[in-house]
Amino acid sequence: MKALILAAGFGSRLAPLTDDIPKSLVPVNGKPILIKQIENLYDADITDITVVSGYRGNMLEAAVHDHFRDVNIIKSEDFDSTNNMYSAYLAREAVAGDDFIMMNADVFMDASVIQALVDFDHPNAIVTDIGFYLAESMKVVEQNGRLTRISKDIPADEALGASIDVYRFSPEAGEAFFKKCEEYIEKKGEKKLWSEVALNDILPEIEFHACPLDGRWYEIDDHDDLAAAERIFADD
């Protein structure tokens, strides 16, 4: 299994911290988010890892390679005018034809989250904090045992729970996902979309399941999030 981490963004709401470092290198109790994610993958024996960088990409590459020499870095030169669907599309050849995990580089989580996803019975899955609802998070809908929708706009009475932005794809699902990305980016010229837009489009044809969250997580977008994450993971 391979892994793809999307880490191109600015992190403007974390300024002034992100004036000098990319969002993914913001530390939680001294541990940069991205480094923790890669450690989690290594703990699950996933070492074929691609990171898509952007803002302050040279700094990100140096920080990653200081710890993990074999991690592949792809730099998005258009990070300031695109979103994470574009980042994922740039890395399509790195994971094509393989099972892979994809995640955003702003989620601090326990290693058990990744291990549970690796051990999950279904090849296509979205790690879901079942019963949890947060307006800013992607939510998922489940019908007849499979996921049928992912969006930020899903109301609380329809949501199974919140996606933590960690996804597992089979080769078939990856092919369908990147085909949808290509339609938006190459044919429609839409480069500012979330990757979940393409993922949502393939749910009718590719069966995805909710992998129940096993462990702690926190998505870090602003200073309040960072403070909350440092409280939650204070004992690590």
Side-chain angles (χ1 to χ4, degrees):
M1 186 176 291
K2 296 182 178 181
L4 172 57
I5 305 177
L6 310 179
F10 283 105
S12 58
R13 287 188 284 171
L14 281 164
L17 289 175
T18 49
D19 290 347
D20 300 316
I21 62 173
K23 180 182 182 182
S24 62
L25 293 184
V26 169
V28 176
N29 300 325
K31 177 77 69 175
I33 302 167
L34 178 58
I35 300 304
K36 173 61 172 170
Q37 288 190 342
I38 297 173
E39 287 179 351
N40 291 347
L41 291 166
Y42 267 70
D43 285 346
D45 294 323
I46 299 173
T47 57
D48 191 330
I49 300 168
T50 297
V51 176
V52 181
S53 70
Y55 174 64
R56 297 200 175 273
N58 292 339
M59 179 181 291
L60 182 150
E61 181 172 354
V64 169
H65 285 166
D66 187 50
H67 294 81
F68 307 97
R69 293 297 306 171
D70 294 333
V71 170
N72 180 34
I73 309 288
I74 296 174
K75 186 174 181 180
S76 172
E77 300 294 344
D78 301 315
F79 65 88
D80 57 345
S81 61
T82 60
N83 209 325
N84 69 348
M85 181 193 292
Y86 184 79
S87 293
Y89 187 60
L90 288 180
R92 62 196 182 279
E93 292 184 4
V95 295
D98 287 283
D99 297 280
F100 68 95
I101 289 172
M102 183 176 79
M103 68 184 83
N104 294 328
D106 59 0
V107 179
F108 203 84
M109 71 190 87
D110 289 322
S112 59
V113 175
I114 299 300
Q115 189 62 58
L117 183 59
V118 170
D119 295 338
F120 193 53
D121 290 338
H122 300 281
N124 304 308
I126 298 174
V127 178
T128 305
D129 192 344
I130 295 173
F132 179 72
Y133 189 91
L134 183 66
E136 286 197 12
S137 293
M138 292 286 173
K139 277 76 68 178
V140 296
V141 174
E142 182 182 64
Q143 292 180 350
N144 300 320
R146 63 182 286 178
L147 297 179
T148 58
R149 188 180 173 202
I150 179 168
S151 172
K152 287 189 176 184
D153 298 329
I154 294 169
D157 60 350
E158 296 180 18
L160 173 68
S163 162
I164 74 163
D165 302 334
V166 179
Y167 309 104
R168 176 176 161 180
F169 293 81
S170 65
E172 176 190 21
E175 181 179 4
F177 169 73
F178 288 121
K179 183 177 179 180
K180 286 294 181 183
C181 293
E182 180 182 15
E183 290 177 9
Y184 282 110
I185 293 167
E186 302 290 349
K187 297 179 181 179
K188 299 180 182 179
E190 298 187 31
K191 298 181 179 181
K192 292 187 176 182
L193 297 176
W194 296 108
S195 58
E196 287 82 5
V197 173
L199 176 55
N200 185 70
D201 284 354
I202 70 171
L203 291 181
E205 59 181 289
I206 304 291
E207 187 170 330
F208 273 76
H209 293 263
C211 175
L213 176 71
D214 182 1
R216 300 166 297 173
W217 72 286
Y218 213 92
E219 181 179 357
I220 301 169
D221 289 320
D222 57 31
H223 289 276
D224 289 341
D225 292 339
L226 179 58
E230 292 195 322
R231 291 192 299 271
I232 290 170
F233 291 92
D235 295 335
D236 284 16

